């Protein structure tokens, strides 16, 4: 199954050509299969390619279990302006809050998300599902409610490799003393 005609420079160029046309991250195994070389050779080639883009407007990253070209983070203001100018595809505050609850509590039912947010999230959930950021995951045994989770597209859009890469919530939560003060002020 080895392709003897594919040497290091040709292998790197073949990988680049494939990565230029993918819509989602592609795994090392897929690249190895298509190019008929061992996975270890693909991994070595990818790792050698990563630093070669350090002074470019794009970077090669391993995201969500696969590899893909992404715009370089240093140029995010320019890319954001290009992508967002004239577009109204931004998520609303309600959608962002709902998405955050799902991301940190998944799998989670729609009723639980509504309870956490304190509002009905029916329309917002439909938007998130339509945009491919959230999907059905299964059914809760006790209640029969449909459970939801974030998608691989969610990870890709956020530039995360896994959910464990989400920033911790603890630094953004009030400490216990602050909560006690708040509760005391409410009972006065």
């Amino acid at each position: 199954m080895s392709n003897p005609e594919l040497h290091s420079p040709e292998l790197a160029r073949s990988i680049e050509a494939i990565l230029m046309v993918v819509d989602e991250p592609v795994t090392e195994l897929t690249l190895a299969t298509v190019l008929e070389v061992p996975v270890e050779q693909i991994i070595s080639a990818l790792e050698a390619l990563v630093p070669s883009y350090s002074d470019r407007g794009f970077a090669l990253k391993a995201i969500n279990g696969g590899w893909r070209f992404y715009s370089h983070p240093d140029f995010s203001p320019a890319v954001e302006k290009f992508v967002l100018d004239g577009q109204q595809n931004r998520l609303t505050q309600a959608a962002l809050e709902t998405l955050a609850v799902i991301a940190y509590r998944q799998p989670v039912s729609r009723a639980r998300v509504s309870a956490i947010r304190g509002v009905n999230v029916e329309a917002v959930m439909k938007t998130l599902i339509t945009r491919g950021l959230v999907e059905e995951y299964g059914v809760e045994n006790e209640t029969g409610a449909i459970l939801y989770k974030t998608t691989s597209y969610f990870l890709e859009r956020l530039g995360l490799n896994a959910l464990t890469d989400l920033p911790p919530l603890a630094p953004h939560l009030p400490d216990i003393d602050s909560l006690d003060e708040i509760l005391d002020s409410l009972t006065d």
Side-chain angles (χ1 to χ4, degrees):
M1 169 157 154
S2 184
N3 186 347
E5 298 173 15
L6 220 45
H7 302 292
S8 207
E10 291 84 9
L11 177 60
R13 292 178 67 207
S14 296
I15 290 171
E16 288 174 328
I18 291 169
L19 292 177
M20 290 300 293
V21 298
V22 298
D23 289 333
E24 55 189 45
V26 63
T27 66
E28 293 99 343
L29 180 60
T30 300
L31 289 169
T33 303
V34 169
L35 298 174
E36 299 178 331
V37 297
V39 173
E40 297 76 26
Q41 196 173 346
I42 294 292
I43 292 170
S44 294
L46 286 164
E47 289 173 350
L49 281 170
V50 169
S52 68
Y53 304 115
S54 64
D55 63 342
R56 308 294 302 219
F58 58 94
L60 177 59
K61 291 184 180 183
I63 300 288
N64 194 26
W67 292 81
R68 184 174 172 200
F69 286 118
Y70 291 88
S71 59
H72 196 286
D74 291 348
F75 302 101
S76 61
V79 172
E80 183 176 334
K81 183 170 176 23
F82 174 78
V83 171
L84 296 179
D85 270 0
Q87 294 186 12
Q88 297 300 318
N89 289 336
R90 300 178 82 171
L91 291 175
T92 64
Q93 185 69 29
L96 289 171
E97 290 172 8
T98 301
L99 188 56
V101 170
I102 295 166
Y104 282 97
R105 300 295 301 251
Q106 61 187 303
V108 63
S109 69
R110 189 176 296 192
R112 182 73 180 135
V113 175
S114 290
I116 291 169
R117 290 212 45 241
V119 296
N120 184 328
V121 296
E122 186 79 25
V124 172
M125 289 291 287
K126 286 180 182 174
T127 298
L128 295 174
I129 291 167
T130 300
R131 292 199 180 181
L133 298 168
V134 173
E135 65 187 357
E136 290 184 9
Y137 178 71
V139 178
E140 193 173 69
N141 290 335
E142 300 82 35
T143 64
I146 297 172
L147 297 173
Y148 295 90
K149 69 176 187 109
T150 54
T151 63
S152 58
Y153 179 66
F154 166 81
L155 292 174
E156 186 180 335
R157 295 295 295 169
L158 265 63
L160 302 173
N161 201 26
L163 289 172
T164 54
D165 296 335
L166 283 169
L169 284 177
H172 304 287
L173 299 174
D175 60 8
I176 296 301
D177 293 334
S178 296
L179 283 175
D180 288 340
E181 289 173 18
I182 292 168
L183 291 173
D184 287 344
S185 71
L186 293 174
T187 56
D188 290 343

